[in-house]
Amino acid sequence: MKLKTFALGGVHPEEHKLSANAPIVNLPLPAQLVVPLGQNLGAPPKPIVKKGDEVKTGQLIARAEAFISANLHAPATGKVVKVDEATDTSGYRRPAIYIEVSGEDKWAEGINPTNELVTRLDYSRDEIIAKVKEAGIVGLGGATFPTHVKLMLPPGKKADYLLINGVECEPYLTSDHRLMLEKAQEIMQGIRLMMIALEVKRAIIGVENNKPDAIAHLAAMALAHPGISVQALKVKYPQGGEKQLIKALVNREVPSGKLPIEVGCVVSNVGTAFAVYEAVTKNKPLIERVVTVTGLGLTKPSNFLVRIGTPVSALIQAAGGMPENSGKIINGGPMMGKAMTTPEVPVVKGSSGILIMPRELSSRKEPQACIRCSKCTTVCPMGLEPYLLARLSKLERYEDTEREQIMDCIECGSCQFTCPSNIPLLDYLRLGKFRTGQLIRNRK
Amino acid sequence: MSKLIISGSPHVHGDESVSKIMYTVVLALVPAMLVSVYFFGFDAIRVLAISVAACVFFEWLIQKYLIKGPLTINDGSAVVAGVLLAFNVPANLPWWILVIGALVTIGVGKMSFGGLGRNPFNPALVGRVFMLISFPVQMTSWPVPKPLFAPQLTDAITGPTALGILKEGIGAGKTIDQIMADPHMPDYIDRLTGNMSGSLGEMSAMALILGGIFMVIRKVIDWQVPVSIIATVYVFAGIFHLIDPQHYIEPAFHLFTGGLMLGAIYMATDMVSSPMSMKGKVVYGVGIGLLTIIIRLWGAYPEGISFAILILNAFTPLINMTMKPKRFGKATA
Ligand code: SF4
Ligand code: SF4
């Protein structure tokens, strides 16, 4: 049978799933946690602790005041030593809460920190959304959009499907893969809770076919859950893109500039489903996540369960330390991740992986003239013309970039990946998107 | 630890490169090269060598002393232009005409527009058409193939091409049956394998198609361009053949004679001068097919694909502007 996938474009980078067989390992608590305040898309929460305060694991330390925002909780028991700026994975300085870890985990009241499986599902829609909001859950696929907002459908809209992203199409990354293997039961519960909140009858988990063990395992689990099914997908990047996943799973196309709900879909990540389960059934806030630490030169490519705020350098140490010839540290995968200036930054809610690239693979190749081969156009999953958008951006013709739909670019990097002339297309596209966005906002 | 490298995503790159693409084209041309050497012997090697060497030399000369820009002779594009130029001329072409052709190919066809990627026309075709207009006699005196290992019986040195016989016959008011009876007319097998008079590389449809399939598999060309050209020629010639079979030859004849395969598979697919979107490629291919057959049926030249490609090259920017790829999230029109 021909496997499903999205229709337009796409590339297939080398997979390098080095840590696919490394079970999730609990990383020991570090001596100090640095918890940045802006870990979600939208407004950062406001701190409600001050220097000298004692905090328990899971205790609220910053409250979301805006609608699109997420609560923040203490990832471990300890003492707030300062509320100050810190460099985060994006390379920017942001306000952060510094916690000196006492060593012993004392959980805040009402939280069930055990691993026992809870299968109770008699929660109301409002209860689920309230608990998810309280727990500060955001999309763990990397976009960090507050999950409670996603669960509250705009008035008049109805969802037909909840689509669960277990694609993990970025090369190297395996955190979702391991979670699907090790926490399938919990993920199922989380999906069912989200289905109740969204009032949908059907949920489909999409997984790329390079994870046959996860597909088989989830499919077996899904038998016990009416309405939930698993769909194997052809391996093709960027299938994890929301619009691409919807196209692949239910063959619906989200119109340009619109949200998935427009075509009756809500998309969430497997990690998020797991977090929803923990939040609703155990009152457990989002204070830890699974992070892949990997790279071709690393001695122990691993998947760690890490408390938010742990320095990335500690993760790298646990994976065997920085190899001699390291050239680049990437927060995320090689296609969409960001190069970091230093490993002395904390893990945040959106950190799915840390990738260390050897020096010889870290530099870009020398760009040459565009030979108009149209490969960038062929691989663009949004049907755009990257060579043209890049040229128009360079010429600062933002009226034209707008007309050519530059705002549809999902910054997947497929065009630049495939360009035989090594043209940094995405650099130009990002700049063009930024300027075109300004143009559009100014007009309003 | 030495300094970390910071650059935007993506942090990995596919294994495509300009030189890889160009040498894949050269590789795809090898079967046709071998066939040409088989049929024309040393002459074929001579023409290929002079053409490639002259193209690479002029590219180097112009880049180093005229433009004073970066040297890109290693990217393989001059080699491709050289082989294609050689394929478009008779095997007995005097060397100096070939050198002039190479100069026009590289100097006018490519460098005068700013080099690789900026030339609106296929450089080898610019060179070929220039030679055809400037040296019409030498450019149309076609050597008769003398297969390497075949006994050399024939004493004719040059002969007409199949398309030439056709054009002349029609002009003289002969019927298709009479034309096909001409002793110089190659038979089916010869048309397919390339045992007939003509330019160096246009002979063997089989070798050219083989290379074409290779290029499609290696994603160096898209099948839309050659297939739409060939299909258009076939359908259009077929309609006229059905109307009047004694005046218009069967369509398959057009596919396997003259430069159609060479043009459709290797010249029209030149990335730089052809459209970017799939829709645009089809429009471009249909345009080339139509013009080719119009010139062949009613034009002054027996052959038409070179002109057709150059003319459609001129439309490429317009096609690019109007034929956009199908955007995601737009209802199919
Ligand atoms: S980065 Fe943007 S333009 Fe490039 S392939 Fe992805 S969506 Fe298309
Ligand atoms: S892939 Fe690169 S060389 Fe090819 S058309 Fe696009 S920008 Fe130009």
Side-chain angles (χ1 to χ4, degrees):
Chain A
M1 199 191 76
K2 216 169 148 242
L3 283 171
K4 286 191 180 184
T5 186
F6 58 99
L8 277 184
V11 292
H12 186 189
E14 279 184 62
E15 292 168 27
H16 293 303
K17 301 277 191 183
L18 311 170
S19 48
N21 294 319
I24 300 169
V25 173
N26 274 22
L27 201 74
L29 283 172
Q32 192 189 50
L33 294 166
V34 180
V35 189
L37 287 170
Q39 301 192 29
N40 54 272
L41 204 92
K46 295 267 165 353
I48 55 167
V49 289
K50 54 183 193 311
K51 185 176 168 182
D53 284 359
E54 300 275 349
V55 291
K56 283 188 178 158
T57 311
Q59 178 186 329
L60 188 70
I61 52 173
R63 181 177 287 130
E65 286 175 348
F67 177 55
I68 302 185
S69 183
N71 284 341
L72 210 53
H73 303 79
T77 308
K79 191 175 180 183
V80 175
V81 284
K82 60 178 172 174
V83 181
D84 196 359
E85 293 209 315
T87 307
D88 73 2
T89 40
S90 68
Y92 293 109
R93 307 272 303 165
R94 288 234 172 99
I97 297 169
Y98 288 68
I99 298 170
E100 198 181 87
V101 177
S102 72
E104 172 195 14
D105 247 349
K106 284 203 212 94
W107 289 77
E109 223 166 293
I111 300 175
N112 170 2
T114 66
N115 274 331
E116 85 192 81
L117 183 71
V118 186
T119 53
R120 204 186 126 209
L121 282 169
D122 54 343
Y123 296 96
S124 73
R125 186 173 172 271
D126 294 339
E127 246 176 310
I128 294 170
I129 294 173
K131 285 188 168 219
V132 166
K133 181 172 184 203
E134 178 54 42
I137 295 175
V138 300
L140 295 184
T144 65
F145 188 79
T147 303
H148 67 273
V149 181
K150 224 178 212 178
L151 293 179
M152 296 159 75
L153 296 183
K157 299 280 185 222
K158 219 184 112 5
D160 306 325
Y161 291 101
L162 169 63
L163 303 179
I164 300 294
N165 184 353
V167 164
E168 203 158 52
C169 60
E170 274 273 10
Y172 291 96
L173 300 191
T174 58
S175 53
D176 286 348
H177 184 184
R178 289 315 304 181
L179 202 67
M180 290 188 280
L181 287 176
E182 298 178 34
K183 301 285 180 195
Q185 298 260 29
E186 290 83 350
I187 291 172
M188 291 295 161
Q189 299 299 327
I191 294 173
R192 293 194 61 173
L193 292 165
M194 280 196 273
M195 287 168 75
I196 296 169
L198 291 164
E199 294 172 331
V200 298
K201 299 261 169 315
R202 296 208 51 194
I204 310 173
I205 312 172
V207 187
E208 283 193 344
N209 213 28
N210 56 0
K211 300 178 260 294
D213 49 354
I215 295 170
H217 185 56
L218 287 174
M221 294 291 153
L223 290 178
H225 301 277
I228 303 181
S229 60
V230 181
Q231 176 68 54
L233 296 168
K234 190 176 157 186
V235 181
K236 192 161 87 169
Y237 177 87
Q239 198 142 233
E242 220 167 43
K243 293 182 174 185
Q244 279 63 40
L245 189 68
I246 295 171
K247 179 77 185 170
L249 288 177
V250 295
N251 196 25
R252 294 184 185 180
E253 250 177 55
V254 182
S256 168
K258 294 280 163 53
L259 294 171
I261 191 64
E262 203 70 28
V263 292
C265 295
V266 175
V267 182
S268 197
N269 170 272
V270 281
T272 315
F274 177 70
V276 166
Y277 157 80
E278 293 210 306
V280 177
T281 64
K282 302 186 168 178
N283 296 323
K284 202 171 152 187
L286 184 58
I287 56 160
E288 57 187 4
R289 67 158 298 149
V290 182
V291 183
T292 299
V293 184
T294 182
L296 290 171
L298 230 54
T299 43
K300 278 189 295 176
S302 314
N303 301 289
F304 295 120
L305 184 66
V306 189
R307 296 285 168 92
I308 304 296
T310 307
V312 164
S313 55
L315 275 67
I316 297 173
Q317 220 46 55
M322 284 283 271
E324 244 336 278
N325 70 339
S326 302
K328 214 182 217 179
I329 307 176
I330 298 161
N331 171 40
M335 293 300 288
M336 293 185 82
K338 266 191 96 157
M340 310 197 315
T341 45
T342 161
E344 296 310 324
V345 297
V347 166
V348 289
K349 292 177 179 179
S351 318
S352 50
I354 302 296
L355 167 61
I356 296 167
M357 299 272 274
R359 190 151 282 274
E360 61 272 18
L361 297 180
S362 297
S363 301
R364 287 177 172 177
K365 296 176 212 159
E366 196 56 42
Q368 287 165 276
C370 167
I371 55 169
R372 310 183 57 79
C373 65
S374 74
K375 285 183 189 296
C376 52
T377 308
T378 314
V379 300
C380 177
M382 298 308 293
L384 306 175
E385 294 164 282
Y387 76 96
L388 179 66
L389 292 172
R391 203 178 61 209
L392 292 172
S393 300
K394 219 163 148 182
L395 296 171
E396 304 189 5
R397 284 167 52 180
Y398 302 123
E399 304 272 346
D400 294 323
T401 48
E402 185 191 356
R403 202 191 50 240
E404 297 291 347
Q405 291 179 254
I406 198 171
M407 298 314 279
D408 275 0
C409 169
I410 59 170
E411 305 187 24
C412 68
S414 300
C415 48
Q416 186 170 329
F417 174 83
T418 201
C419 175
S421 290
N422 310 318
I423 298 171
L425 290 164
L426 191 47
D427 288 4
Y428 295 119
L429 281 160
R430 279 203 192 96
L431 186 71
K433 267 184 85 172
F434 179 70
R435 295 271 185 231
T436 311
Q438 279 182 330
L439 189 86
I440 295 171
R441 276 193 300 279
N442 286 345
R443 202 180 307 132
K444 277 183 189 153
Chain B
M1 193 175 64
S2 44
K3 228 176 141 12
L4 290 169
I5 295 168
I6 305 296
S7 58
S9 65
H11 304 284
V12 282
H13 189 261
D15 54 2
E16 287 292 359
S17 71
V18 175
S19 54
K20 215 164 147 181
I21 289 176
M22 295 301 165
Y23 288 113
T24 307
V25 177
V26 175
L27 207 61
L29 286 163
V30 165
M33 276 187 231
L34 294 178
V35 172
S36 73
V37 171
Y38 176 78
F39 283 127
F40 296 116
F42 178 72
D43 264 348
I45 300 174
R46 181 189 66 99
V47 168
L48 276 164
I50 294 174
S51 179
V52 171
C55 282
V56 174
F57 172 74
F58 286 128
E59 178 142 327
W60 172 80
L61 196 74
I62 292 170
Q63 283 181 336
K64 180 142 181 133
Y65 293 103
L66 232 58
I67 313 182
K68 301 195 165 70
L71 286 179
T72 58
I73 53 166
N74 289 331
D75 68 16
S77 63
V79 177
V80 170
V83 177
L84 289 177
L85 184 68
F87 271 19
N88 272 291
V89 302
N92 58 357
L93 192 72
W95 68 269
W96 56 273
I97 297 186
L98 200 53
V99 170
I100 295 173
L103 178 60
V104 173
T105 296
I106 299 296
V108 179
K110 190 170 172 188
M111 290 306 169
S112 72
F113 294 105
L116 182 65
R118 304 210 172 79
N119 46 297
F121 301 101
N122 182 325
L125 279 182
V126 171
R128 176 193 184 199
V129 168
F130 170 81
M131 289 190 286
L132 193 64
I133 294 168
S134 311
F135 311 100
V137 179
Q138 292 91 331
M139 280 295 284
T140 54
S141 73
W142 314 100
V144 168
K146 11 174 221 222
L148 270 185
F149 312 106
Q152 312 283 310
L153 295 175
T154 166
D155 47 354
I157 305 293
T158 62
T161 64
L163 280 174
I165 302 168
L166 178 70
K167 183 116 245 170
E168 205 165 291
I170 298 273
K174 289 190 200 165
T175 66
I176 295 295
D177 287 341
Q178 286 166 333
I179 295 168
M180 290 313 280
D182 187 306
H184 289 294
M185 189 55 108
D187 64 18
Y188 270 109
I189 302 293
D190 286 344
R191 290 207 294 270
L192 216 56
T193 54
N195 189 14
M196 56 184 170
S197 288
S199 296
L200 190 60
E202 67 184 32
M203 320 290 295
S204 172
M206 287 196 312
L208 293 170
I209 292 171
L210 196 73
I213 293 172
F214 174 70
M215 290 196 295
V216 169
I217 292 172
R218 298 292 299 266
K219 297 204 166 117
V220 167
I221 63 169
D222 292 298
W223 59 266
Q224 279 83 353
V225 173
V227 168
S228 55
I229 295 177
I230 292 167
T232 306
V233 166
Y234 189 86
V235 169
F236 203 62
I239 292 173
F240 281 91
H241 176 65
L242 284 179
I243 295 172
D244 184 357
Q246 278 311 317
H247 254 94
Y248 299 99
I249 203 155
E250 35 141 6
F253 179 89
H254 282 289
L255 300 192
F256 299 113
T257 55
L260 190 85
M261 288 294 167
L262 179 63
I265 302 173
Y266 298 89
M267 316 292 285
T269 51
D270 167 41
M271 341 182 126
V272 182
S273 52
S274 60
M276 306 290 266
S277 73
M278 290 304 158
K279 243 191 290 174
K281 285 178 198 209
V282 173
V283 169
Y284 169 84
V286 170
I288 291 173
L290 276 181
L291 266 182
T292 302
I293 205 73
I294 288 173
I295 299 172
R296 279 190 180 190
L297 294 184
W298 301 296
Y301 287 88
E303 173 67 285
I305 187 138
S306 302
F307 295 106
I309 295 173
L310 285 176
I311 291 168
L312 262 294
N313 280 169
F315 281 98
T316 293
L318 189 68
I319 296 176
N320 280 339
M321 235 142 51
T322 47
M323 301 277 136
K324 295 290 176 188
K326 187 194 168 298
R327 308 279 194 218
F328 186 100
K330 278 274 152 90
T332 9

